[in-house]
Amino acid sequence: MSGAFAAEVTVSDARRYASLGAVAVRNRRLVLLWLRRQALRLANAHGDRAALEREALRLPTADVRAVLFHGTDAPESLRCWATDAYRQDEAIRTLEAGLPLRFTVADPAVGLRVTLAGWHTAPAVPP
């Protein structure tokens, strides 16, 4: 499947929703690569308040802002998704089929949900 792809990481609770960052790329492999990178960044920032503060000062535009998780379930789920070959194969097959990719983790301590999503965008129609 050719054309453009997009990816976004969002955070929500029962009342609010916000984008942590998004990217537009030229193929599905780049979508998956970007989402994996963001999952690992979010997981690795868990419990490191100093890193979160440093990141706020020098955040690359292509990376998402980190969130403060209150438990270890969400960071471990993100890390598992990003590093498990079976899950990554499943993710690329989803994108190859033209379906949107979505992976959500929850931090039950505070009701926080982080969602990683990627999808094929419609190619531009020539004038």
Side-chain angles (χ1 to χ4, degrees), residues 31-108:
V31 165
L32 191 54
L33 182 65
W34 188 81
L35 288 173
R36 287 181 64 208
R37 174 184 165 94
Q38 304 318 310
L40 289 172
R41 287 183 76 254
L42 289 167
N44 292 340
H46 173 65
D48 190 353
R49 283 188 185 272
L52 291 174
E53 291 168 7
R54 285 190 307 272
E55 179 181 278
L57 300 176
R58 62 179 206 292
L59 183 71
T61 57
D63 286 327
V64 300
R65 293 201 175 277
V67 297
L68 180 62
F69 293 109
H70 295 273
T72 58
D73 291 346
E76 288 306 312
S77 293
L78 287 166
R79 190 173 287 109
C80 182
W81 179 84
T83 60
D84 182 83
Y86 176 78
R87 291 175 192 223
Q88 291 302 298
D89 287 345
E90 198 174 73
I92 199 69
R93 282 193 303 271
T94 298
L95 291 169
E96 284 172 350
L99 301 171
L101 171 66
R102 183 177 297 234
F103 178 71
T104 301
V105 297
D107 185 351

